[in-house]
Amino acid sequence: IAMPNIMESSTGWLVIQSILGQYGKEEGSKILKKLIENTGPHLESSGSGPLKKVESGEVSVGIGLRAQAVKSEQNGNPIHFIDPKEGNYSLVEAAAVVKKGGEKQQKAQKMVQTIQQYGRENLLKTYPVPLYQGEKVEKAHKPKHPKKWNERLTVELLEKHQDIFNNAKKQVENN
């Protein structure tokens, strides 16, 4: 098994969200520990690392971004993606403008509007996750079990999830 490390990859955070969202902290920590045990040296610093290892035949199972696995399978690589029943969380890009008034705020708002208006089409080719009204992706890119984290994704929440991961990893290293 190969999976991304939450300490080095935002995709790793999605994995932790899926596990904790479905099973809670106590059971999720046990599952995470077992995953880390079975990952061995294949705990990846890149979200695309697990898929690359599956494509090369280095591992049989890779946990990573769904969109990349769908594209890889569509390109004829000898893999098959599976939608986990725990659900698929998605990364989304964000842009914010702090309301301070003045010329800088107006320019920043124009920049965000430009990205939304002209950048989304190309971004959807790489990460086909529709966010805005009217955006469409092909059926293969629609997860069977889409999920949304119930609380705000904050730095504090990330740190909490990293602590859970690190505790599970320490337990594996100490055995």
Side-chain angles (χ1 to χ4, degrees):
I1 296 175
M3 67 181 264
N5 184 338
I6 187 176
M7 302 306 293
E8 302 169 313
S9 166
S10 57
T11 305
W13 193 12
L14 295 174
V15 173
I16 303 300
Q17 288 175 11
S18 296
I19 294 168
L20 298 178
Q22 182 69 26
Y23 299 102
K25 182 181 176 185
E26 186 176 324
E27 184 65 22
S29 294
K30 292 176 188 175
I31 291 169
L32 188 55
K33 180 181 175 244
K34 292 289 186 184
L35 271 173
I36 293 169
E37 283 175 1
N38 285 291
T39 300
H42 303 292
L43 190 58
E44 299 297 312
S45 60
S46 164
S48 61
L51 177 63
K52 290 176 182 174
K53 288 197 169 194
V54 171
E55 289 173 337
S56 71
E58 198 169 335
V59 298
S60 298
V61 176
I63 301 169
L65 288 179
R66 184 183 189 284
Q68 292 173 338
V70 170
K71 285 183 181 180
S72 183
E73 185 174 345
Q74 288 176 336
N75 288 339
N77 289 315
I79 70 164
H80 177 66
F81 74 91
I82 298 169
D83 278 316
K85 69 178 182 179
E86 292 84 357
N88 294 97
Y89 289 83
S90 296
L91 291 174
V92 296
E93 82 286 346
V97 177
V98 177
K99 190 172 186 174
K100 290 185 175 182
E103 188 178 335
K104 284 185 180 180
Q105 179 185 337
Q106 291 173 354
K107 287 181 179 181
Q109 285 176 308
K110 180 68 175 167
M111 185 172 57
V112 169
Q113 290 169 344
T114 301
I115 291 167
Q116 289 175 333
Q117 185 176 358
Y118 300 107
R120 288 290 302 158
E121 185 177 333
N122 285 329
L123 185 61
L124 282 171
K125 292 175 186 173
T126 305
Y127 295 106
V129 179
L131 299 175
Y132 301 104
Q133 191 171 20
E135 289 184 337
K136 294 181 176 23
V137 296
E138 64 180 85
K139 186 178 179 181
H141 286 289
K142 293 179 181 177
K144 290 182 183 175
H145 313 286
K147 289 283 223 143
K148 181 180 176 187
W149 191 255
N150 290 330
E151 57 187 294
R152 290 175 48 99
L153 300 177
T154 63
V155 172
E156 292 79 19
L157 181 64
L158 171 63
E159 290 170 345
K160 179 180 168 184
H161 288 174
Q162 287 174 329
D163 287 344
I164 292 168
F165 173 86
N166 284 329
N167 287 335
K169 190 173 179 206
K170 283 178 190 172
Q171 289 176 17
V172 170
E173 291 169 350
N174 292 333
N175 286 339

